[in-house]
Amino acid sequence: MAARAHVLVLLVLLALASAAAAGGGRHPHQHRHRHGGKSARLRLIPSAPGASLADRARDDRHRHAYIRSTLASRRRAAEVGASAFAMPLSSGAYTGTGQYFVRFRVGTPAQPFVLVADTGSDLTWVKCRGAAGSPPDAQPPAREFRPAASKSWAPIACSSDTCTSYVPFSLANCSTPASPCAYDYRYKDGSAARGVVGTDSATIALSGNGRAGVGADSSRRAKLQGVVLGCTASYDGQSFQSSDGVLSLGNSNISFASRAAARFGGRFSYCLVDHLAPRNATSYLTFGPGPEDAAAPSPASAPAAPEQTPLLLDRRMSPFYAVTVDTVYVAGEALDIPADVWDADRNGGAILDSGTSLTILATPAYRAVVAALTKQLAGLPRVSMDPFEYCYNWTAGAPEIPELEVHFAGSARLLPPAKSYVIDAAPGVKCIGVQEGAWPGVSVIGNILQQEHLWEFDLRDRWLRFKHTRCAQ
């Protein structure tokens, strides 16, 4: 009986195999492939048929480690891309400079530095030892970057496209294609930095809830790879005596702002504390969502929406951020300033610059603003004080300072506090805190006029947003 059953099963299997062969091996419910119904078959065989289970288990562990590492790196990358990060920002008044300083960590292992936050720079650099051309008898700075001690430092060749096309003030001498990319960076105030360029990683503190500073979690750190970094062997300039270098926030392919913003929502923001604030009064430079993107408050306590105006990312103005000024008002009266002064196409225009302290206005704008302000302050005794043209003895009285308003394209209005344009220059002395610039020429909105405002540079959608706020944390 059992033998007959086995024979019957064998006959059934042979019949099924014959039917499958007659049907081209195709299941009756399968659809014919659009290319003639043919299919390719590849035999799957074990790579090591005689491998033991122990060998297979070992191979599985190696593969699992690879999978885990790959997914972990992708998750970290996704986390970095979806978060924000913030860097403490403070006034450099305690050093006698008009700059704002930011704390920056670069290299592997990370080395800490204090850099000037500069929207007018396209090259980030730090004071450095061991760079080509370092003077052997130079006095070492208090903090110095040592590229040889960083596992992630990689020199950029002088023949590379980055060096020849994007590094500002790169030097033409290139003894061999692999020689380091050298620079002699010149600033408009006469200061300079000289060294070589490479790339390295920056260590950043993630802030998951997107609130500038408040959400920063020092325990959640990430590496921002491929930061273009100048290793400066020699430098000139007063502000560089008090800092370790410059953090580039300008509009440039190689600036830290452009690289970091590309990874964090396409935008960055900063809030400048009072320029005379003490060293411990800090705010934050933030990449990614800022305070305005925090959890929405109740309608009753909702803050006013920030002002916004188009951000002009014009190559002719690079690395600076330009905006269009429509009208300037003093004491509610529109000033008669030629439209050409604010027109970049006619050798005018206006930029925001965190690296410039005093606001500089092209001659026609300067004369109109100063005439309107001095008219209101005419009753006060004049005082001479460089570099200002109009200073007053404030102990003789405290008149009401006329309101200054700057209207930008798109109906955005900047109403700075009076201390931002009639500034404290000495005990009992106030000065009109603007300077005259050449005409034709660009006007510069300096960091004193920007103080106590949150400024967001939306590089992706090309908007500048701002609002008056308390910056100190």
Side-chain angles (χ1 to χ4, degrees):
M1 183 70 178
R4 288 176 59 192
H6 285 304
V7 171
L8 180 60
V9 170
L10 181 59
L11 290 174
V12 170
L13 291 175
L14 289 173
L16 290 174
S18 177
R26 182 165 49 91
H27 192 281
H29 295 293
Q30 286 181 328
H31 297 288
R32 182 179 296 272
H33 194 275
R34 67 178 64 184
H35 298 296
K38 295 182 179 179
S39 62
R41 288 185 175 183
L42 298 174
R43 292 188 64 195
L44 294 176
I45 59 174
S47 59
S52 68
L53 285 176
D55 293 333
R56 296 180 186 182
R58 181 198 61 216
D59 293 342
D60 287 346
R61 285 195 299 271
H62 288 322
R63 181 171 177 80
H64 179 259
Y66 166 77
I67 293 171
R68 183 179 58 188
S69 173
T70 301
L71 292 180
S73 64
R74 290 177 181 174
R75 285 167 180 161
R76 283 194 298 270
E79 180 184 52
V80 170
S83 301
F85 78 91
M87 309 166 76
L89 183 69
S90 61
S91 170
Y94 67 92
T95 68
T97 69
Q99 307 289 349
Y100 283 82
F101 296 155
V102 65
R103 298 171 205 167
F104 184 70
R105 297 168 62 86
V106 68
T108 306
Q111 304 173 40
F113 299 98
V114 175
L115 307 183
V116 174
D118 188 5
T119 57
S121 288
D122 37 15
L123 178 66
T124 295
W125 63 264
V126 292
K127 295 174 182 177
C128 184
R129 300 289 287 178
S134 297
D137 56 347
Q139 183 66 29
R143 287 177 296 267
E144 58 186 13
F145 177 64
R146 294 183 179 274
S150 174
K151 298 176 183 177
S152 46
W153 167 262
I156 292 176
C158 63
S159 59
S160 67
D161 185 56
T162 297
C163 184
T164 57
S165 301
Y166 300 114
V167 173
F169 301 101
S170 60
L171 301 179
N173 56 328
C174 189
S175 55
T176 66
S179 297
C181 177
Y183 61 88
D184 187 350
Y185 199 117
R186 300 286 171 163
Y187 295 85
K188 288 189 176 181
D189 62 0
S191 55
R194 294 165 288 274
V196 296
V197 185
T199 61
D200 213 323
S201 62
T203 300
I204 55 178
L206 299 176
S207 47
N209 66 4
R211 296 192 65 188
V214 177
D217 181 357
S218 59
S219 66
R220 296 179 63 236
R221 295 189 180 277
K223 289 277 192 181
L224 194 61
Q225 307 288 349
V227 173
V228 177
L229 182 71
C231 178
T232 292
S234 60
Y235 54 89
D236 304 310
Q238 180 59 39
S239 62
F240 302 148
Q241 302 294 332
S242 305
S243 69
D244 303 321
V246 172
L247 183 70
S248 59
L249 301 179
N251 174 33
S252 161
N253 286 355
I254 65 169
S255 75
F256 181 80
S258 296
R259 295 286 179 99
R263 293 281 300 275
F264 293 87
R267 51 186 164 158
F268 72 94
S269 59
Y270 58 69
C271 202
L272 304 182
V273 297
D274 188 307
H275 71 287
L276 298 177
R279 184 175 186 173
N280 61 353
T282 60
S283 56
Y284 285 86
L285 166 65
T286 305
F287 290 84
E292 298 303 319
D293 301 287
S298 62
S301 61
E307 305 281 343
Q308 72 172 21
T309 187
L311 187 62
L312 307 180
L313 303 180
D314 191 323
R315 288 185 177 275
R316 294 170 301 173
M317 307 289 277
S318 180
F320 301 101
Y321 298 103
V323 290
T324 299
V325 175
D326 279 345
T327 315
V328 178
Y329 293 82
V330 172
E333 180 180 348
L335 304 184
D336 184 16
I337 300 173
D340 289 2
V341 170
W342 311 123
D343 191 343
D345 292 328
R346 300 185 179 183
N347 297 317
I351 63 171
L352 278 88
D353 185 21
S354 65
T356 298
S357 296
L358 298 173
T359 291
I360 301 172
L361 299 177
T363 297
Y366 173 81
R367 290 178 178 172
V369 169
V370 165
L373 290 176
T374 55
K375 178 181 178 182
Q376 303 290 327
L377 303 175
L380 291 175
R382 291 276 299 275
V383 176
S384 296
M385 180 174 290
D386 287 334
F388 304 101
E389 187 175 1
Y390 295 93
C391 295
Y392 301 89
N393 180 350
W394 218 256
T395 61
E400 183 177 353
I401 298 175
E403 190 174 70
L404 173 72
E405 291 184 38
V406 182
H407 289 207
F408 298 100
S411 302
R413 298 191 307 157
L414 172 63
L415 287 79
K419 66 179 180 179
S420 293
Y421 54 94
V422 179
I423 66 176
D424 292 311
V429 176
K430 288 184 183 291
C431 299
I432 295 178
V434 296
Q435 290 190 303
E436 183 175 4
W439 175 249
V442 69
S443 295
V444 181
I445 300 174
N447 60 40
I448 294 179
L449 202 67
Q450 296 178 47
Q451 69 184 353
E452 296 191 346
H453 278 74
L454 173 69
W455 298 89
E456 182 183 77
F457 297 77
D458 186 338
L459 308 185
R460 182 181 58 195
D461 296 328
R462 300 194 172 199
W463 288 103
L464 174 71
R465 302 183 183 93
F466 60 91
K467 69 173 297 182
H468 186 266
T469 188
R470 181 177 178 270
C471 292
Q473 299 292 325

